[in-house]
Amino acid sequence: LSTGLKYQRVQVKNSDGDLAPLSEQGFKLAAGDDGTDDLLSLSFNATRDRRNNPLQPTKGSILRVGTEQTIPVDGIFFNRVRANYSQYLPINIIPFGGESEALAFNVQLGTILGDLPPYEAFILGGSNSVRGFGDGEVGSGKSFFQATAEYRFPIFKIVGGALFFDYGSALGSEDDVPGSPAKERDLPGSGFGYGLGARVQSPVGTIRVDYAISDDGENQIQFGIGEKF
């Protein structure tokens, strides 16, 4: 279990570094009229970890649930709730795979209760979300659902591979975000991606390189540090 108190000062600026409280379409990009918000929030999180290895798990599960409540020092009042569950199953398809071969599944979901600034919406798309899309290119919403399935296998001592499938959706909550930024950018709101990746064990941790294809046929090479989950 963990709890915490967080303070943020958020300023929305344009490419010239000037405060820009409105979008090109005239929608507010922050709660404050001047493009500056002060956010104070209290969070509580719970984790149950039954993995056999926290860095390269092949068996067990991990469940994370959490809530974050803002304290309206600047008139911003909302509650964020989210959950994240991963399950790992050892398998033996490759003869030399041994204990490092596994199926890995992850499900995430969340919602926000109350009025939120647009930048606090859930963002979908990118190397840690739906691969094959750039960051935020699936959409943003007041709620979200995301799921991933991976087959992880060894190649040789410090290099492994993964076949993966990702799906994410804003659950039709795009219009609940002030200004409907996802709709203004003509983003789909849901999508899936699939592909093949390599995992290299290095002194700074696992380096992840994925070749991913989105459901509209676009492809990207995406990088990350550590496993996606």
Side-chain angles (χ1 to χ4, degrees):
L1 305 177
S2 66
T3 188
L5 186 68
K6 179 173 65 175
Y7 167 76
Q8 300 177 80
R9 165 157 283 196
V10 179
Q11 293 184 314
V12 180
K13 297 184 178 182
N14 59 24
S15 58
D16 296 324
D18 301 321
L19 288 173
L22 300 177
S23 70
E24 293 180 351
Q25 294 78 23
F27 295 110
K28 291 180 65 175
L29 299 176
D33 293 335
D34 63 350
T36 299
D37 293 338
D38 291 297
L39 286 84
L40 181 65
S41 62
L42 179 66
S43 63
F44 178 78
N45 300 280
T47 302
R48 186 190 69 180
D49 192 347
R50 295 182 172 178
R51 296 174 296 177
N52 62 338
N53 183 324
L55 298 178
Q56 293 180 283
T58 58
K59 185 178 181 181
S61 65
I62 181 169
L63 171 66
R64 298 183 178 97
V65 294
T67 182
E68 179 184 11
Q69 176 63 57
T70 60
I71 301 169
V73 294
D74 203 12
I76 302 172
F77 187 69
F78 65 86
N79 180 271
R80 182 193 306 271
V81 181
R82 63 189 305 165
N84 186 327
Y85 178 76
S86 300
Q87 178 73 52
Y88 306 90
L89 304 174
I91 58 173
N92 188 15
I93 296 177
I94 301 174
F96 55 84
E99 296 182 355
S100 58
E101 195 177 359
L103 294 176
F105 303 94
N106 176 259
V107 175
Q108 301 180 40
L109 66 156
T111 192
I112 296 173
L113 308 173
D115 298 324
L116 72 157
Y119 54 79
E120 286 291 333
F122 294 107
I123 305 299
L124 295 169
S127 62
N128 290 310
S129 179
V130 182
R131 288 164 286 190
F133 292 87
D135 292 339
E137 288 186 354
V138 174
S140 62
K142 203 172 182 180
S143 301
F144 86 104
F145 172 82
Q146 184 174 294
T148 295
E150 290 192 356
Y151 165 51
R152 300 174 180 176
F153 54 92
I155 297 177
F156 55 89
K157 188 173 182 180
I158 64 169
V159 179
L163 297 172
F164 60 84
F165 179 89
D166 300 329
Y167 172 79
S169 172
L171 302 176
S173 64
E174 300 96 315
D175 287 337
D176 296 328
V177 178
S180 303
K183 291 291 183 67
E184 289 296 325
R185 295 174 59 200
D186 197 29
L187 300 179
S190 64
F192 65 85
Y194 57 93
L196 172 68
R199 309 290 183 261
V200 181
Q201 305 306 316
S202 76
V204 298
T206 302
I207 298 175
R208 174 162 45 96
V209 183
D210 292 321
Y211 174 75
I213 303 171
S214 67
D215 55 18
D216 59 6
E218 298 294 326
N219 60 81
Q220 292 193 17
I221 296 177
Q222 297 172 311
F223 300 87
I225 298 294
E227 292 286 2
K228 185 170 180 281
F229 59 92

